[in-house]
């Protein structure tokens, strides 16, 4: 949900030089202004359900400089499986792959070596995956929920980042894309 981005936007605006516009806007993949936006955010618990023509537009958007940031809300397995399938359909020759620990995304603002997950005692290495085209990550994906941490809303079974680490990772993701 886009509303959950508001705390992340506040942190981003007050701690970085990234210009942030506080506006919730649902955007259809068919919206003519799609190509004016450098970053799209997709989250969900269920199958994203993009039709063939929407997949063609999304692929065109990504190949023309756009970036898609996505996460499985609360670590939802159905969304995770469906999103991975969508990535394979969009870019069959460029698989979704884990970014290495030394990737600049993990040091472009905050230095991130581990992240804490809600309900987990041990921190984990940053589990961000990417589809990379011409040495540029066009899709950045987390199988754990970012929005849960941004909104500080945790269900009992949520697989998501803690608020502090969701904000750090979200800041890095946005700063990296906007460079």
């Amino acid at each position: 949900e886009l509303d959950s981005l508001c705390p992340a936007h506040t942190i981003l605006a007050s701690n970085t030089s990234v210009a942030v516009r506080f506006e919730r806007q649902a955007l259809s993949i068919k919206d003519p202004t799609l190509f004016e936006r450098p970053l799209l955010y997709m989250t969900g618990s269920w199958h994203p359900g993009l039709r063939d023509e929407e997949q063609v537009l999304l692929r065109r958007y990504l190949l023309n400089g756009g970036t898609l940031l996505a996460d499985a809300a609360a670590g939802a397995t159905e969304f995770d499986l469906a999103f991975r399938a969508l990535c394979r359909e969009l870019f069959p020759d460029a698989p979704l792959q884990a970014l290495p620990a030394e990737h600049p995304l993990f040091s472009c603002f905050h230095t991130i070596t581990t992240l804490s997950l809600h309900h987990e005692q041990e921190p984990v290495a940053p589990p961000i995956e990417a589809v990379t085209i011409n040495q540029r990550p066009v899709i950045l994906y987390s199988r754990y929920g970012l929005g849960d941490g941004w909104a500080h809303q945790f269900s009992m079974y949520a697989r998501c980042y803690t608020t502090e680490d969701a904000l750090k990772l979200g800041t890095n993701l946005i700063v990296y894309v906007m460079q």
Side-chain angles (χ1 to χ4, degrees):
E1 295 182 9
L2 293 174
D3 284 339
S4 68
L5 287 174
C6 291
H9 283 193
T10 303
I11 297 293
L12 195 64
S14 62
N15 292 308
T16 73
S17 61
V18 174
V20 177
R21 184 175 62 197
F22 298 92
E23 179 184 340
R24 179 179 185 209
Q25 186 173 22
L27 183 69
S28 164
I29 202 76
K30 295 179 180 181
D31 190 302
T33 67
L34 175 71
F35 289 85
E36 298 170 14
R37 302 164 191 282
L39 176 66
L40 297 178
Y41 173 64
M42 177 188 288
T43 188
S45 299
W46 314 108
H47 194 293
L50 296 181
R51 294 185 201 102
D52 290 345
E53 67 270 15
E54 292 170 322
Q55 288 184 27
V56 168
L57 286 170
L58 179 57
R59 179 181 164 85
R60 186 177 310 142
Y61 165 81
L62 296 170
L63 290 174
N64 283 285
T67 303
L68 175 63
L69 168 59
D71 73 314
T77 301
E78 183 174 339
F79 181 89
D80 179 60
L81 295 172
F83 188 78
R84 290 174 187 285
L86 174 63
C87 290
R88 285 190 300 274
E89 290 173 26
L90 291 172
F91 299 104
D93 297 328
L96 196 59
Q97 294 183 324
L99 292 178
E102 64 277 2
H103 193 279
L105 182 143
F106 301 120
S107 60
C108 64
F109 192 80
H110 297 287
T111 300
I112 299 174
T113 56
T114 61
L115 294 165
S116 297
L117 299 174
H118 191 65
H119 298 307
E120 298 290 331
Q121 293 194 7
E122 296 299 318
V124 298
I128 299 300
E129 297 171 81
V131 170
T132 303
I133 304 294
N134 297 326
Q135 301 179 333
R136 183 180 75 85
V138 297
I139 297 174
L140 294 162
Y141 176 64
S142 173
R143 69 181 182 267
Y144 299 115
L146 284 161
D148 309 79
W150 294 338
H152 196 68
Q153 296 177 346
F154 306 104
S155 71
M156 181 176 232
Y157 301 104
R159 295 177 311 167
C160 55
Y161 303 101
T162 62
T163 295
E164 180 181 352
D165 283 354
L167 291 171
K168 283 182 184 177
L169 181 56
T171 298
N172 275 35
L173 285 160
I174 294 169
V175 167
Y176 176 77
V177 169
M178 300 307 289
Q179 291 183 48

